[in-house]
Amino acid sequence: MPTVFDHFAVLKPDLLFDKLEVSSEIYKELDNLYNGFRSHTLISAHQFSEDWSTWEKHPAGDEMVILLSGRAEFVLRRESGDESIVLEDPGSFVIIPRNTWHTARIKKVTSVLFVTPGEGTQNAVSPPVST
């Protein structure tokens, strides 16, 4: 039986799902299979044991991040400065607004479920303030 850790689900524009086995090339596959991920949403889960090494932002829409276990601090880069949101209760979540740079600081082994509008996702080591 597949789990959210070894398979991603892709919600297509027709609101039907595809299930894809996770591989080392999964993000390239997603771009190739789904036209740069235009108008698609990725449902994925990841386990983290250390802080993210980069920041990311999603210009196609808001991202929902749901804590499954552990403890994570999500840092959102705002014009007024970085905002910290701590998730520590299973089921707690944050909605990261479109075009907002964000990263995560991991306090202990943590599992997180993501609902991501993946089209145009950007990554940076030290991003500017979100616009």
Side-chain angles (χ1 to χ4, degrees):
M1 182 63 69
T3 72
V4 294
F5 296 104
D6 59 27
H7 285 77
F8 288 170
V10 176
L11 181 60
K12 300 179 295 184
D14 61 7
L15 300 182
L16 298 176
F17 280 101
D18 280 346
K19 178 178 67 175
L20 297 166
E21 189 170 352
V22 175
S23 71
S24 61
E25 299 293 314
I26 188 70
Y27 292 102
K28 286 181 186 177
E29 291 174 29
L30 291 170
D31 278 342
N32 291 335
L33 289 170
Y34 302 104
N35 189 29
F37 225 63
R38 181 177 312 282
S39 301
H40 290 73
T41 301
L42 179 66
I43 293 86
S44 62
H46 297 277
Q47 189 172 66
F48 303 101
S49 59
E50 57 188 41
D51 293 352
W52 292 7
S53 60
T54 61
W55 295 66
E56 65 180 23
K57 74 173 179 175
H58 310 287
D62 296 349
E63 179 179 45
M64 184 175 190
V65 180
I66 306 161
L67 183 72
L68 301 176
S69 66
R71 184 177 189 278
E73 175 187 4
F74 281 84
V75 181
L76 284 60
R77 181 137 299 163
R78 308 279 197 174
E79 286 185 33
S80 59
D82 290 351
E83 176 186 358
S84 176
I85 299 168
V86 176
L87 302 179
E88 53 191 344
D89 296 317
S92 60
F93 68 93
V94 59
I95 295 176
I96 300 171
R98 169 194 321 256
N99 268 329
T100 300
W101 286 105
H102 56 284
T103 192
R105 297 181 184 138
I106 304 302
K107 304 306 179 190
K108 59 183 178 179
V109 176
T110 298
S111 296
V112 181
L113 181 74
F114 298 89
V115 180
T116 308
E119 180 183 353
T121 293
Q122 298 175 36
N123 290 279
V125 173
S126 182
V129 172
S130 294
T131 57

